[in-house]
Amino acid sequence: VNVASRIYWFGNDGFESRMGPVMATLLRDAHVLLDVGSNFGFYSVLAQKLNAGIATFCFEPVDHLLADNKLFHEANRATRQTLLAQGVSSEVGSSI
């Protein structure tokens, strides 16, 4: 609710205000976004709103966050993403 309220009142700057403008600039011309540690999928949805041709890949290993991510994409009619229940690391291994 806190994040949604800030986005409602302050637009893209309502969530991570320093990163928002930089990401918006970069996403407009990108072809692919790898959203690692995607959480609820804010940057993937933002990318799809700013760039009609971008493909997004959301990596989120936490089950309830991945479920929220899917719901957030659906609520925003963002349909060009691949949701992956995986973490990303420079090491091969398992967190279990």
Side-chain angles (χ1 to χ4, degrees), residues 1-87:
V1 171
N2 184 31
V3 170
S5 293
R6 289 193 331 251
I7 292 169
Y8 177 82
W9 290 110
F10 304 111
N12 294 342
D13 291 338
F15 181 73
E16 297 186 2
S17 61
R18 292 183 180 170
M19 185 62 99
V22 172
M23 290 296 293
T25 299
L26 295 172
L27 292 171
R28 282 190 182 95
D29 295 321
H31 299 285
V32 175
L33 170 68
L34 301 178
D35 193 356
V36 177
S38 186
N39 199 313
F40 65 95
F42 176 79
Y43 286 116
S44 177
V45 169
L46 176 64
Q48 291 183 49
K49 296 294 183 182
L50 294 173
N51 182 337
I54 198 167
T56 63
F57 296 85
C58 303
F59 296 86
E60 181 50 63
V62 179
D63 291 338
H64 73 275
L65 291 177
L66 189 66
D68 289 346
N69 196 316
K70 181 178 180 186
L71 292 173
F72 187 67
H73 278 83
E74 290 171 357
N76 285 281
R77 296 182 181 95
T79 60
R80 295 178 319 280
Q81 76 283 344
T82 300
L83 301 176
L84 300 154
Q86 298 175 357

